[in-house]
Amino acid sequence: MSPKTVVVAGGTDGMGRATALARHERGDRVLVIGSNAEKGRTLPSGVEFLPADLSSGAAVREVLGELNARLTSLDALVLCANRVSPARRETAEGLEYTFALYFLARHRLAEGLRPVLEAAPRPVIVNVGGVGVTKGEIAWNDLQLRAGYSMVRAQLQAGRLNDLLGAGYSGKARYVLYHPGFTDSGDRTPLSAPLRVALGLLARVAARPVAESAAPIVALVDDPPAAQLTALDRGRTLPPSLPTLDPAAAARLRAVVDGLHRTA
Protein backbone atom coordinates (compact mmCIF):
# COMPACT_ATOMS: atom_id res chain seq x y z
CA MET A 1 0.00 0.00 0.00
CA SER A 2 1.26 3.48 -0.82
CA PRO A 3 1.62 5.86 2.16
CA LYS A 4 -1.52 7.76 3.11
CA THR A 5 -2.19 11.10 4.72
CA VAL A 6 -4.32 10.73 7.85
CA VAL A 7 -5.77 13.29 10.25
CA VAL A 8 -6.89 12.02 13.66
CA ALA A 9 -9.01 14.35 15.80
CA GLY A 10 -8.68 13.25 19.41
CA GLY A 11 -5.45 11.38 18.73
CA THR A 12 -3.58 11.73 22.03
CA ASP A 13 -5.63 9.12 23.91
CA GLY A 14 -7.32 5.79 23.45
CA MET A 15 -8.38 4.58 20.03
CA GLY A 16 -7.42 7.83 18.34
CA ARG A 17 -3.86 7.49 19.57
CA ALA A 18 -3.75 3.77 18.70
CA THR A 19 -4.94 4.55 15.17
CA ALA A 20 -2.42 7.36 14.76
CA LEU A 21 0.48 5.20 15.95
CA ALA A 22 -0.50 2.24 13.78
CA ARG A 23 -0.75 4.36 10.64
CA HIS A 24 2.53 6.12 11.48
CA GLU A 25 4.25 2.73 11.79
CA ARG A 26 3.01 1.92 8.27
CA GLY A 27 4.78 4.97 6.91
CA ASP A 28 1.81 7.31 6.61
CA ARG A 29 1.88 11.04 7.16
CA VAL A 30 -0.17 11.39 10.35
CA LEU A 31 -1.47 14.64 11.81
CA VAL A 32 -3.01 14.51 15.29
CA ILE A 33 -5.32 17.12 16.79
CA GLY A 34 -5.58 17.16 20.58
CA SER A 35 -6.16 19.49 23.49
CA ASN A 36 -3.44 18.06 25.76
CA ALA A 37 -0.07 19.49 24.72
CA GLU A 38 1.80 17.30 27.21
CA LYS A 39 0.37 14.13 25.68
CA GLY A 40 1.01 15.57 22.23
CA ARG A 41 4.71 15.79 23.07
CA THR A 42 4.76 12.03 23.76
CA LEU A 43 3.80 11.20 20.18
CA PRO A 44 6.62 9.75 18.07
CA SER A 45 8.88 11.97 16.02
CA GLY A 46 7.31 12.46 12.61
CA VAL A 47 3.71 12.59 13.85
CA GLU A 48 2.52 16.17 13.40
CA PHE A 49 0.69 17.46 16.47
CA LEU A 50 -1.77 20.36 16.28
CA PRO A 51 -2.92 21.54 19.72
CA ALA A 52 -6.56 22.63 19.75
CA ASP A 53 -9.59 22.57 22.04
CA LEU A 54 -12.13 21.41 19.49
CA SER A 55 -15.07 22.48 21.67
CA SER A 56 -14.16 26.02 20.58
CA GLY A 57 -15.41 27.16 17.19
CA ALA A 58 -12.51 29.60 16.94
CA ALA A 59 -10.01 26.80 17.60
CA VAL A 60 -11.65 24.59 14.97
CA ARG A 61 -11.40 27.38 12.41
CA GLU A 62 -7.74 27.92 13.30
CA VAL A 63 -6.82 24.24 12.99
CA LEU A 64 -8.72 23.98 9.70
CA GLY A 65 -6.68 26.87 8.35
CA GLU A 66 -3.48 25.13 9.42
CA LEU A 67 -4.48 21.79 7.93
CA ASN A 68 -5.61 23.25 4.62
CA ALA A 69 -2.31 25.14 4.40
CA ARG A 70 -0.26 22.00 5.04
CA LEU A 71 -2.18 19.50 2.92
CA THR A 72 -2.91 19.13 -0.76
CA SER A 73 -4.94 15.94 -0.27
CA LEU A 74 -6.25 13.88 2.64
CA ASP A 75 -6.90 10.14 2.49
CA ALA A 76 -8.55 9.68 5.87
CA LEU A 77 -10.17 11.79 8.56
CA VAL A 78 -10.68 9.91 11.84
CA LEU A 79 -13.03 11.60 14.32
CA CYS A 80 -12.52 10.47 17.91
CA ALA A 81 -12.49 13.64 20.02
CA ASN A 82 -14.89 13.44 22.95
CA ARG A 83 -14.84 14.09 26.68
CA VAL A 84 -17.62 13.60 29.20
CA SER A 85 -18.90 16.53 31.25
CA PRO A 86 -20.70 15.56 34.48
CA ALA A 87 -22.11 19.08 34.88
CA ARG A 88 -23.61 21.18 32.12
CA ARG A 89 -21.26 23.87 30.84
CA GLU A 90 -21.21 26.17 27.85
CA THR A 91 -18.53 27.15 25.38
CA ALA A 92 -17.68 30.75 24.49
CA GLU A 93 -20.23 30.41 21.67
CA GLY A 94 -22.97 29.60 24.19
CA LEU A 95 -23.17 25.95 23.13
CA GLU A 96 -23.47 22.99 25.47
CA TYR A 97 -19.98 21.47 25.76
CA THR A 98 -20.75 17.89 24.65
CA PHE A 99 -22.79 19.15 21.70
CA ALA A 100 -19.89 21.39 20.66
CA LEU A 101 -17.07 18.85 21.05
CA TYR A 102 -18.59 15.45 20.30
CA PHE A 103 -20.91 16.61 17.51
CA LEU A 104 -20.41 20.07 16.05
CA ALA A 105 -16.59 19.94 15.84
CA ARG A 106 -16.84 16.70 13.87
CA HIS A 107 -19.23 18.28 11.41
CA ARG A 108 -17.01 21.35 11.03
CA LEU A 109 -13.87 19.30 10.48
CA ALA A 110 -15.46 17.09 7.83
CA GLU A 111 -16.89 20.06 5.97
CA GLY A 112 -13.83 22.25 6.38
CA LEU A 113 -11.53 19.52 5.04
CA ARG A 114 -13.81 18.61 2.14
CA PRO A 115 -11.51 20.16 -0.53
CA VAL A 116 -8.46 18.12 0.49
CA LEU A 117 -10.58 14.99 0.99
CA GLU A 118 -12.00 15.42 -2.52
CA ALA A 119 -8.43 15.66 -3.86
CA ALA A 120 -7.54 12.15 -2.59
CA PRO A 121 -8.20 9.09 -4.81
CA ARG A 122 -10.25 7.09 -2.23
CA PRO A 123 -10.94 9.27 0.81
CA VAL A 124 -12.73 8.02 3.91
CA ILE A 125 -14.16 9.63 7.04
CA VAL A 126 -14.43 7.43 10.13
CA ASN A 127 -16.68 8.82 12.86
CA VAL A 128 -16.19 6.85 16.09
CA GLY A 129 -19.30 6.92 18.24
CA GLY A 130 -22.32 4.85 19.15
CA VAL A 131 -24.04 3.92 15.91
CA GLY A 132 -26.60 1.21 16.52
CA VAL A 133 -27.47 2.56 19.97
CA THR A 134 -31.17 3.40 20.08
CA LYS A 135 -31.27 4.67 23.66
CA GLY A 136 -31.64 8.37 24.25
CA GLU A 137 -33.23 10.93 21.99
CA ILE A 138 -32.57 14.17 20.15
CA ALA A 139 -34.11 17.13 21.97
CA TRP A 140 -34.92 19.08 18.82
CA ASN A 141 -36.51 21.90 20.82
CA ASP A 142 -33.62 22.05 23.31
CA LEU A 143 -30.47 20.80 21.62
CA GLN A 144 -28.34 22.65 24.17
CA LEU A 145 -30.04 20.69 26.98
CA ARG A 146 -30.78 23.73 29.11
CA ALA A 147 -33.48 21.69 30.82
CA GLY A 148 -32.88 18.25 32.27
CA TYR A 149 -29.16 17.99 31.56
CA SER A 150 -27.26 14.85 32.47
CA MET A 151 -23.90 13.55 31.29
CA VAL A 152 -25.47 10.38 29.87
CA ARG A 153 -28.25 12.27 28.13
CA ALA A 154 -25.74 14.63 26.50
CA GLN A 155 -23.56 11.76 25.31
CA LEU A 156 -26.49 9.80 23.89
CA GLN A 157 -27.88 12.83 22.07
CA ALA A 158 -24.50 13.73 20.54
CA GLY A 159 -24.07 10.12 19.43
CA ARG A 160 -27.46 10.21 17.68
CA LEU A 161 -26.54 13.52 16.03
CA ASN A 162 -23.34 11.96 14.71
CA ASP A 163 -25.38 9.15 13.17
CA LEU A 164 -27.29 11.80 11.25
CA LEU A 165 -24.04 13.42 10.11
CA GLY A 166 -23.22 10.19 8.33
CA ALA A 167 -26.74 9.81 6.95
CA GLY A 168 -26.66 13.34 5.55
CA TYR A 169 -23.12 13.43 4.20
CA SER A 170 -22.63 13.66 0.44
CA GLY A 171 -19.36 13.87 -1.39
CA LYS A 172 -16.49 11.80 -2.71
CA ALA A 173 -15.40 10.58 0.72
CA ARG A 174 -16.92 7.37 2.04
CA TYR A 175 -18.44 7.93 5.47
CA VAL A 176 -18.14 5.23 8.14
CA LEU A 177 -19.97 5.37 11.45
CA TYR A 178 -18.09 3.05 13.79
CA HIS A 179 -19.21 1.78 17.19
CA PRO A 180 -16.37 -0.21 18.79
CA GLY A 181 -18.28 -1.33 21.86
CA PHE A 182 -17.01 -0.93 25.42
CA THR A 183 -13.30 -0.19 25.15
CA ASP A 184 -10.76 0.76 27.81
CA SER A 185 -10.24 4.11 26.13
CA GLY A 186 -10.54 7.82 26.80
CA ASP A 187 -9.89 10.32 29.54
CA ARG A 188 -11.73 9.63 32.81
CA THR A 189 -10.35 12.63 34.72
CA PRO A 190 -13.61 14.66 34.52
CA LEU A 191 -15.41 11.92 36.46
CA SER A 192 -15.71 11.63 40.21
CA ALA A 193 -13.11 9.44 41.93
CA PRO A 194 -15.61 6.64 42.80
CA LEU A 195 -16.87 6.50 39.22
CA ARG A 196 -13.32 6.46 37.85
CA VAL A 197 -12.50 3.51 40.09
CA ALA A 198 -15.70 1.64 39.17
CA LEU A 199 -15.13 2.11 35.44
CA GLY A 200 -11.51 1.05 35.80
CA LEU A 201 -12.53 -2.19 37.53
CA LEU A 202 -15.24 -2.86 34.94
CA ALA A 203 -12.81 -2.21 32.09
CA ARG A 204 -10.42 -4.83 33.44
CA VAL A 205 -12.99 -7.58 33.04
CA ALA A 206 -15.32 -6.41 30.26
CA ALA A 207 -13.61 -3.88 27.98
CA ARG A 208 -12.02 -4.62 24.64
CA PRO A 209 -8.32 -3.73 24.32
CA VAL A 210 -7.72 -0.41 22.60
CA ALA A 211 -5.64 -1.91 19.79
CA GLU A 212 -8.38 -4.46 19.02
CA SER A 213 -11.06 -1.76 18.80
CA ALA A 214 -8.83 0.47 16.65
CA ALA A 215 -7.85 -2.27 14.19
CA PRO A 216 -10.91 -1.85 11.91
CA ILE A 217 -10.25 1.90 11.67
CA VAL A 218 -6.64 1.26 10.71
CA ALA A 219 -7.79 -1.14 7.97
CA LEU A 220 -10.44 1.25 6.62
CA VAL A 221 -7.77 3.79 5.72
CA ASP A 222 -6.35 1.33 3.16
CA ASP A 223 -9.65 -0.12 2.02
CA PRO A 224 -12.64 2.24 2.29
CA PRO A 225 -16.08 0.71 1.69
CA ALA A 226 -17.75 1.02 -1.69
CA ALA A 227 -20.98 2.40 -0.20
CA GLN A 228 -21.37 6.10 0.52
CA LEU A 229 -22.41 5.32 4.11
CA THR A 230 -21.39 2.31 6.20
CA ALA A 231 -22.51 1.75 9.78
CA LEU A 232 -20.46 -0.74 11.80
CA ASP A 233 -21.59 -1.81 15.24
CA ARG A 234 -19.12 -4.11 17.00
CA GLY A 235 -18.32 -6.08 13.86
CA ARG A 236 -21.83 -6.00 12.38
CA THR A 237 -22.79 -3.96 9.34
CA LEU A 238 -26.09 -2.23 10.06
CA PRO A 239 -28.76 -1.61 7.41
CA PRO A 240 -29.10 1.95 6.08
CA SER A 241 -32.81 1.76 6.97
CA LEU A 242 -31.96 1.98 10.68
CA PRO A 243 -34.28 4.59 12.26
CA THR A 244 -31.32 6.50 13.71
CA LEU A 245 -30.06 7.05 10.14
CA ASP A 246 -33.27 8.67 8.91
CA PRO A 247 -32.53 10.96 5.92
CA ALA A 248 -35.36 13.34 6.84
CA ALA A 249 -33.89 13.82 10.32
CA ALA A 250 -30.47 14.33 8.74
CA ALA A 251 -31.89 17.10 6.55
CA ARG A 252 -33.51 18.67 9.60
CA LEU A 253 -30.17 18.62 11.40
CA ARG A 254 -28.43 20.21 8.44
CA ALA A 255 -30.85 23.13 8.60
CA VAL A 256 -30.16 23.54 12.32
CA VAL A 257 -26.39 23.48 11.77
CA ASP A 258 -26.64 25.96 8.92
CA GLY A 259 -28.47 28.29 11.29
CA LEU A 260 -25.69 27.95 13.87
CA HIS A 261 -23.10 28.90 11.26
CA ARG A 262 -25.03 32.05 10.43
CA THR A 263 -25.13 33.15 14.07
CA ALA A 264 -21.74 31.86 15.37
Side-chain angles (χ1 to χ4, degrees):
M1 294 289 182
S2 60
K4 309 291 185 184
T5 300
V6 182
V7 168
V8 183
T12 57
D13 271 309
M15 286 191 296
R17 186 183 183 93
T19 300
L21 296 181
R23 294 308 313 186
H24 174 66
E25 289 171 1
R26 296 187 182 205
D28 289 354
R29 181 184 183 185
V30 179
L31 302 95
V32 165
I33 310 168
S35 60
N36 191 315
E38 183 177 349
K39 291 180 179 180
R41 286 191 289 270
T42 68
L43 291 166
S45 175
V47 174
E48 300 172 49
F49 177 63
L50 291 81
D53 175 2
L54 294 176
S55 69
S56 161
V60 173
R61 289 189 290 273
E62 184 174 342
V63 82
L64 282 172
E66 183 66 27
L67 287 169
N68 281 303
R70 293 190 192 190
L71 304 176
T72 56
S73 68
L74 177 60
D75 297 289
L77 172 62
V78 181
L79 302 167
C80 295
N82 185 19
R83 184 177 292 110
V84 296
S85 183
R88 186 184 183 277
R89 52 178 168 146
E90 291 189 353
T91 68
E93 296 174 272
L95 301 174
E96 188 273 315
Y97 177 82
T98 304
F99 177 92
L101 176 62
Y102 184 11
F103 161 66
L104 190 58
R106 298 187 183 205
H107 166 74
R108 287 171 165 169
L109 287 170
E111 291 302 318
L113 293 172
R114 186 184 286 264
V116 287
L117 284 163
E118 297 277 339
R122 297 179 65 205
V124 62
I125 299 169
V126 183
N127 188 333
V128 180
V131 67
V133 175
T134 56
K135 294 180 180 178
E137 62 181 2
I138 298 173
W140 289 105
N141 295 323
D142 184 22
L143 286 173
Q144 305 311 315
L145 301 181
R146 294 182 175 89
Y149 177 88
S150 76
M151 177 180 70
V152 172
R153 187 183 180 206
Q155 286 287 317
L156 289 173
Q157 172 175 264
R160 295 283 290 269
L161 294 173
N162 274 299
D163 287 357
L164 296 181
L165 283 187
Y169 187 84
S170 61
K172 183 178 179 180
R174 297 318 190 213
Y175 206 107
V176 180
L177 296 164
Y178 175 57
H179 181 198
F182 181 34
T183 302
D184 189 10
S185 176
D187 180 8
R188 300 192 187 108
T189 55
L191 302 174
S192 66
L195 187 52
R196 288 199 304 271
V197 171
L199 282 175
L201 292 173
L202 181 61
R204 290 181 188 178
V205 297
R208 298 176 68 190
V210 171
E212 180 181 317
S213 291
I217 307 173
V218 176
L220 283 164
V221 176
D222 285 324
D223 190 20
Q228 174 69 63
L229 173 65
T230 302
L232 301 175
D233 179 8
R234 290 159 286 192
R236 296 180 298 121
T237 300
L238 301 175
S241 58
L242 198 71
T244 55
L245 303 177
D246 177 35
R252 182 179 183 180
L253 180 61
R254 168 68 71 168
V256 170
V257 171
D258 287 347
L260 287 175
H261 291 328
R262 287 192 295 270
T263 58

